[in-house]
Amino acid sequence: MSEPQQLQRRLGTFDATAIGLGSMLGAGVFVVFAPAAALAGNLLVLSVLVAGVVAYCNAVASAALAAIYPTSGGTYVYGRNQLGEWPGFLAGWGFVTGKTASCAAMALTFGNYVARDYAVPVAVAAVVALTGVNLLGITRTALLTRILLCMVLATLVFVAVAAWLGPHAGAGPAGAPSDNPAGVLPAAGLVFFAFAGYARIATLGEEVKDPARAIPRAILAALAAAFAIYLLLALLLLAHLGERLGTSATPLLDAVLDSRLAPAAPLVQAGAAAACLGALLALITGVGRTTLAMARERDLPGPLAKVGGSHTVPYVAELAVAAVVILLLVTTDVMTVVGFSSFGVLVYYAVANASAFTLATHPGYAPRWLNVLGFLGCAVLAFTLPRASVLAMAAVLAAGVAGRALVLRFRQPQRQRQRPGPRGPD
């Protein structure tokens, strides 16, 4: 049996960091503060801190594992190698299904910002265009991600300045929201998923130069930058919008509209569109690579493992992901589905922490006790999510497990039939 064709190592530490930070500063940063503030109230900053701690635990676990297994697939590969086939499958299936729904949500958010009346056609066009970019090779993906990231960072700096300058003369006073301790953990669960982009760095392990050094550095640098940005924005938005933050559909845009820089509000809309594109680009890339890894192990159909073209990309997996995302866009109200992906992603990171715990040696930045804390943090945040989200994603995970069990049962008789029997006398 021939070895599967490998992807090429073209990304440096800066490229990998940009892809991770571009994922963490995606569309989530433009919407996550409102629902989180509605749950936690004036304790929003505490929720950001809790989410940051859990994200750090997951990040160091992913970094330690990615340095040992520098191949496409992320926690799917780590789980298979460290824990067994079933935990690996559960992580991969949770990632692929959950993040595919997230791809559709990012695309639809982009469509709403650009042309609300034509949101779905615009979203479909964005998926097609960004899939085309991915098919041109990972270095094109990294270049476009850097460009979009610069636009998003400039937008966030502008929002921060607007909030710091304070309201315009006609704006009413911002009443402080009340504290809600019971909402801190659910709000942390929402904020956590805005941090989860570092997983995209690990899924690109097969395409990073010197992965044992570059991947841990990129993951930790991207997470540190994202945490600082989210914490600063949470503080500024609470002070600027107060109790209105929890009811805003577009909190960053409203922060500018209520400030002395209100005439420049279209810049925030442009930045939000860039953020959606950057996150969507990284998501399609990451889901495609995990799909590739699962297909190599025959946990998904074998043709999805094909790598080819002049830029050696997993083109079948990329096209399959794009097709499913487009199907979701034209048939489903994706914004009601995307919450279901939260549970799946926490399962993914729980497997990552469990996998890292079993390593024979641990780097100084990832002691074993952090793996325990990360696993427990994922479990707590998962089960504080809304019941409908938990039940829906649990059903999707169960369907995947049942499907794999049936396939394995079907393959076993085939293998037995293919085994050569004892040779008779000549």
Side-chain angles (χ1 to χ4, degrees), residues 68-421:
I68 296 172
Y69 301 107
T71 185
S72 291
T75 299
Y76 169 71
V77 174
Y78 315 150
R80 282 182 65 92
N81 283 279
Q82 295 296 131
L83 303 174
E85 292 185 3
W86 278 107
F89 173 80
L90 196 63
W93 183 245
F95 182 87
V96 168
T97 54
K99 291 302 182 180
T100 298
S102 295
C103 286
M106 294 295 180
L108 191 58
T109 304
F110 171 76
N112 283 327
Y113 268 97
V114 173
R116 184 178 298 272
D117 293 337
Y118 304 96
V120 172
V122 171
V124 171
V127 172
V128 171
L130 293 182
T131 300
V133 171
N134 277 334
L135 293 178
L136 291 176
I138 192 63
T139 53
R140 275 73 171 180
T141 299
L143 175 61
L144 181 55
T145 299
R146 287 200 300 270
I147 294 171
L148 294 173
L149 178 59
C150 288
M151 294 175 63
V152 174
L153 288 174
T155 303
L156 297 181
V157 169
F158 179 77
V159 172
V161 171
W164 180 72
L165 289 175
H168 56 74
S178 59
D179 296 345
N180 183 18
V184 169
L185 289 179
L190 293 178
V191 177
F192 169 78
F193 296 105
F195 284 122
Y198 50 79
R200 245 67 79 220
I201 301 173
T203 62
L204 299 173
E206 196 172 316
E207 295 161 277
V208 176
K209 304 172 187 174
D210 191 12
R213 296 181 61 192
I215 292 176
R217 289 180 178 180
I219 287 175
L220 296 177
L223 179 60
F227 177 73
I229 291 169
Y230 272 82
L231 191 61
L232 178 62
L233 284 173
L235 288 167
L236 289 171
L237 289 172
L238 274 175
H240 183 56
L241 292 177
E243 60 186 357
R244 287 177 292 164
L245 177 59
T247 59
S248 172
T250 53
L252 272 64
L253 180 60
D254 288 346
V256 174
L257 290 172
D258 288 354
S259 76
R260 302 173 193 176
L261 302 179
L267 294 176
V268 178
Q269 292 176 290
C276 293
L277 288 178
L280 179 59
L281 181 64
L283 276 170
I284 292 174
T285 304
V287 175
R289 268 58 180 181
T290 302
T291 301
L292 164 72
M294 294 183 73
R296 283 174 173 173
E297 300 293 345
R298 298 183 68 195
D299 279 336
L300 288 177
L304 293 171
K306 288 185 178 179
V307 174
S310 58
H311 302 288
T312 58
V313 294
Y315 66 97
V316 178
E318 295 276 7
L319 292 173
V321 171
V324 174
V325 172
I326 291 172
L327 182 64
L328 288 172
L329 285 170
V330 300
T331 62
T332 312
D333 180 5
V334 180
M335 298 310 290
T336 62
V337 177
V338 68
F340 304 156
S341 71
S342 301
F343 189 83
V345 176
L346 281 167
V347 169
Y348 177 87
Y349 284 113
V351 174
N353 281 287
S355 300
F357 182 83
T358 63
L359 291 174
T361 60
H362 287 71
Y365 61 81
R368 185 168 288 176
W369 65 267
L370 273 181
N371 305 145
V372 177
L373 181 60
F375 183 88
L376 293 176
C378 288
V380 170
L381 293 185
F383 288 101
T384 57
L385 290 169
R387 182 179 297 180
S389 297
V390 174
L391 293 176
M393 196 59 205
V396 171
L397 293 174
V401 168
R404 184 175 189 267
L406 286 174
V407 170
L408 291 178
R409 188 173 180 179
F410 174 74
R411 284 178 186 164
Q412 190 172 6
Q414 278 191 326
R415 288 174 181 168
Q416 290 175 347
R417 286 196 299 269
Q418 290 171 357
R419 273 184 205 157

